[in-house]
Amino acid sequence: MCGIVGYIGGGAKACEVLVEGLKRLEYRGYDSAGVCVYHDGQLHTHKAPGRVAIVEQQAMADPQMLAAGAGIAHTRWATHGQPNEVNSHPHSDNSGKISLVHNGIIENYATLKQFLIERGHTFVSETDTEVLVQLIGEFYNNGCDTLEEAVLAALQEVSGTYGIVVMCVDEPDKLVAARKGSPLIVGVGKDEYVVASDASAIIEHTANVVYLHDNEVAVITRGSMRTFTLDNVPVTNEIVEVEMTLGQIAKGGYEHFMLKEIFEQPESIRTCMSGRIDTRDMRINLGGLQDVERDLVKTRKMILTACGTASYSGLVGEYLFEDLARIPTEVEYASEFRYRNPIIETDTTVIALSQSGETADTLAAIREAREKGALTLGIVNAVGSTIARETDAGVYLHAGPEIGVASTKAFTCQIVVETLMALNLGRRRFMSVPMMAKYLEALQAIPDQITEVLKQSEMIKDMLDKYIERNNWLFLGRGYNFPIALEGALKLKEISYIHAEGLPAAEMKHGPIALINEGMPVVCIATQCPTYEKVIGNIEEVRARKGAIIAIATEGDEQIRQCADHVIYVPECPEALQPLLTVIPLQLLAYHAAVARGCNVDKPRNLAKSVTVE
Ligand code: G6P
């Protein structure tokens, strides 16, 4: 999704910082990029569709760019208009004085555009962003004394979402940033500031940041920053330290971020559990929930809301909360929940699951839930993100930055947090100490068990040779492993572009069985659980139609070899924790399939890491 970088400082560093920043944001997904700097009384811009490297090449060959001390840059993920040079950001107004980068969507852009055309403005792009910069230009050239005044005036007229950074040729020593619905962070260095939509573009320069809140504006000069609201009321924003390190966002010897993140899961889960399990008193300590613990225990209904992979961790959560805490639980796609006028009764808790904490639909869902009086919680990875801030309370995943577009370690950490919450509530409601002890022991063994599963990575890669040309796959699972079948299919689709469908195994016979032909790969999660025999029955149904069975089974299960073409073993653990193990081979399978098919694993086509528009 779109990314923003802005820089102002001494010397002539702007171009280098902006381009490096854009590279750090590449993982978010984009289809064009651009940079604009101020130097020698003029704005100088380079934009191009395609990779940041193209803009970098152009910019580095331009002496004006290399001499600049301030500028703005952007990676665009097309919403209004094709990903071509003209539609790329930065955009400028008709006078050529003002340049702007924008994340988000200006919803009333058509009305504003009409107004501006009547005032004599001409437009070159199809974007909503150009409307915004022209509007700022209109105010700037008609009565406003400063850039920030013009920005404020324009933003009063706008409906929609934005994170923007604006610069003006008449006020070269200044960047104006504003946000509503799209994240913006200001890195505070020594006599320099880096503004970005994501901390990964900042940490190379400074760990000290200010998170702008919705409806806030920052005026940044070389040596100072002041922030105020859209109503021009000054605000003081605390400088906080970000924990992310450069090492964390580098590939660390792995060929792809996704593979690194798959292999990081034992560690990320350990970190996620660290300090939260007290085996002496058989308690779970989730600091972020302390203030709402009493309300949480009284909850009569949970609604878990999320998008994409996070919604499948929510489905696992449904099993966990109902099974371990006996709380009726529903899961709903955030995009549906937000427009459905959901029924929220007293004692309903709505939990948003999100890696980025910025997904537009999830954020809107949580706002809707708050509006209706629910207790809202966030299970979020990105510290200080909007969902983390706007929920009543929450639990961070502490999974570390997830760079690969396809979510892996955030997914398993989301399940770990749900498990901790469900156990905590279960224990306070009815669960016996021995039962709690059994689960806690098993949960703490999970990181080492994942390490065991990861050892089969090469075996999974070799096994794939036989199926790599197949364009249709099925994934079957029951109970706790039904959401894992959905996640396995999603992973394969999103990074290898192979069509795959995930199903509750018994549903196959109600339609999808018609797809099965000779050699069609069908991944069956057939671990030891009460429905094991039923899954074997489903496997036989596939075999009868000559499908190829790739089974995920529990170590020691020799019987399954008789009906499966391939078996991938996972260690034994309670059924409620199995998703944490069974998803690992499916992540590896998708990864190796994507590599074998020559796909761009970390940046799959058409996808974005963080979808901050509807
Ligand atoms: C995008 C990503 C997915 C992710 C989903 C939700 O579609 O490509 O990998 O699961 O957004 O993102 P979130 O940050 O809210 O977990």
Side-chain angles (χ1 to χ4, degrees), residues 225-240:
M225 173 168 82
R226 64 188 177 89
T227 45
F228 46 92
T229 64
L230 284 182
D231 308 322
N232 216 348
V233 178
V235 284
T236 312
N237 286 332
E238 207 190 334
I239 297 182
V240 294

Side-chain angles (χ1 to χ4, degrees), residues 184 498 514:
L184 269 189
I498 293 170

Side-chain angles (χ1 to χ4, degrees), residues 255-256 468-469 495-498 590-605:
E255 203 179 331
H256 297 99
I468 205 61
E469 301 301 331
I495 60 167
S496 71
Y497 320 141
I498 293 170
Y591 171 79
H592 289 302
V595 173
R597 288 170 75 113
C599 301
N600 190 343
V601 176
D602 286 332
K603 292 169 210 146
R605 71 181 178 208

Side-chain angles (χ1 to χ4, degrees), residues 170-361:
D170 296 339
E171 303 174 51
D173 192 23
K174 186 188 283 177
L175 297 180
V176 178
R179 78 160 273 183
K180 183 179 180 187
S182 282
L184 269 189
I185 305 165
V186 185
V188 184
K190 193 172 176 310
D191 297 329
E192 64 176 6
Y193 291 87
V194 188
V195 194
S197 49
D198 185 320
S200 57
I202 296 177
I203 53 163
E204 198 170 344
H205 308 283
T206 177
N208 297 324
V209 302
V210 168
Y211 289 98
L212 278 193
H213 301 104
D214 270 353
N215 302 312
E216 282 181 5
V217 182
V219 175
I220 307 161
T221 62
R222 247 165 265 276
S224 71
M225 173 168 82
R226 64 188 177 89
T227 45
F228 46 92
T229 64
L230 284 182
D231 308 322
N232 216 348
V233 178
V235 284
T236 312
N237 286 332
E238 207 190 334
I239 297 182
V240 294
E241 204 175 314
V242 274
E243 283 169 18
M244 197 185 282
T245 64
L246 268 186
Q248 282 177 316
I249 56 169
K251 279 190 209 153
Y254 286 93
E255 203 179 331
H256 297 99
F257 281 115
M258 184 182 175
L259 189 63
K260 173 179 176 253
E261 287 155 10
I262 291 173
F263 274 80
E264 271 173 0
Q265 288 174 108
E267 204 43 49
S268 57
I269 289 176
R270 267 189 210 104
T271 314
C272 179
M273 293 193 296
S274 158
R276 290 172 167 173
I277 298 176
D278 172 355
T279 39
R280 210 190 57 182
D281 294 336
M282 289 301 149
R283 287 177 61 92
I284 307 277
N285 304 313
L286 295 166
L289 298 183
Q290 247 164 26
D291 292 348
V292 297
E293 196 119 345
R294 287 172 69 85
D295 294 332
L296 205 51
V297 174
K298 284 188 259 160
T299 287
R300 283 162 180 258
K301 182 174 156 193
M302 293 272 195
I303 301 176
L304 307 178
T305 189
C307 302
T309 286
S311 73
Y312 295 151
S313 79
L315 275 181
V316 177
E318 180 178 14
Y319 284 83
L320 288 164
F321 283 117
E322 295 207 335
D323 197 11
L324 304 182
R326 309 301 298 155
I327 300 174
T329 304
E330 284 172 19
V331 185
E332 184 145 1
Y333 289 119
S335 52
E336 290 299 314
F337 181 89
R338 64 181 290 190
Y339 289 117
R340 207 172 47 85
N341 197 11
I343 298 168
I344 308 272
E345 288 164 316
T346 25
D347 308 330
T348 298
T349 299
V350 178
I351 306 180
L353 295 140
S354 176
Q355 188 288 126
S356 62
E358 303 292 351
T359 301
D361 283 324

Side-chain angles (χ1 to χ4, degrees), residues 28 306-311 353-360 362 379 381 387 397 402 404-408 410 414 487 490-491 494 604 607-611:
R28 295 169 64 93
C307 302
T309 286
S311 73
L353 295 140
S354 176
Q355 188 288 126
S356 62
E358 303 292 351
T359 301
T362 313
I379 298 181
N381 195 31
I387 292 174
L397 303 180
E402 191 180 69
V405 166
S407 185
T408 50
Q414 281 158 0
E487 172 60 3
L490 178 65
K491 276 283 142 306
E494 57 186 351
L607 295 184
K609 179 70 184 159
S610 174
V611 182

